[in-house]
Amino acid sequence: MKHYDEHAWGLYINQQLPPHEISEMEHHLYRCDECLDRYMICMEQMTIILPVLETDERTFVDAVLARTLGTKRSWYHSTILHYGIAAAATLILVATGFFHGLSQELGPRGALQPAPPLEMKMDQPISDRLLNKTLTWLDTLQNK
């Protein structure tokens, strides 16, 4: 494995190397603890030369918050839009008679009738009953 010296890491930190070599050195840092130590030593020595980003943490945090809080949400993330779509879908289903047809298929008592005794359930499997109800409902939709 090829190791890099302090001079090479200094060039890397100052970005004075070609892009392919920079990429190679970055991948090497992930695998080599010895070179990572050399890199960290070079970074500590370069703190005098490198520019200081922010000295006051409070000012930096306030600037980030000001930029973040000033952003607006996208129009498609709006709760009102989602409620509007749900209301429009409900109105379309009501206008086309979907709910009326569904209530007609359930019968006058609806789905809230008590469950039949166990001996009555054994006559016909529930999957057959559901299939028959669905086919009847589809036939009524085709006839309209």
Side-chain angles (χ1 to χ4, degrees):
M1 176 183 291
K2 177 183 175 186
H3 295 288
Y4 297 96
D5 60 355
E6 286 82 11
H7 176 70
W9 289 117
L11 294 174
Y12 171 81
I13 292 170
N14 291 323
Q15 296 179 350
Q16 296 174 347
L17 297 171
H20 71 280
E21 195 169 341
I22 289 176
S23 176
E24 184 180 307
M25 291 176 79
E26 286 174 356
H27 290 295
H28 183 77
L29 273 178
Y30 290 122
R31 291 176 277 158
C32 181
D33 290 333
E34 183 181 333
C35 286
L36 181 60
D37 291 337
R38 288 182 188 161
Y39 171 74
M40 293 304 293
I41 290 169
C42 287
M43 282 295 291
E44 289 174 6
Q45 292 171 354
M46 296 295 239
T47 56
I48 300 168
I49 301 169
L50 293 174
V52 177
L53 296 177
E54 284 291 332
T55 55
D56 185 22
E57 292 177 13
R58 185 75 176 162
T59 307
F60 177 73
V61 170
D62 289 342
V64 169
L65 284 175
R67 283 186 299 210
T68 305
L69 295 177
T71 59
K72 292 177 70 178
R73 288 176 50 181
S74 301
W75 62 271
Y76 52 84
H77 284 114
S78 170
T79 305
I80 293 174
L81 174 69
H82 294 170
Y83 282 129
I85 291 172
T90 303
L91 287 175
I92 290 170
L93 292 173
V94 167
T96 59
F98 176 79
F99 294 124
H100 180 70
L102 190 60
S103 67
Q104 295 296 321
E105 283 301 315
L106 290 176
R109 290 179 284 177
L112 299 176
Q113 59 191 10
L118 281 174
E119 55 271 358
M120 289 181 66
K121 285 186 177 178
M122 296 298 181
D123 296 67
Q124 187 178 18
I126 192 164
S127 59
D128 288 345
R129 285 187 280 163
L130 287 174
L131 181 63
N132 288 337
K133 283 273 191 186
T134 305
L135 290 174
T136 306
W137 181 67
L138 287 173
D139 288 340
T140 57
L141 285 179
Q142 284 181 342
N143 292 336
K144 287 184 181 183

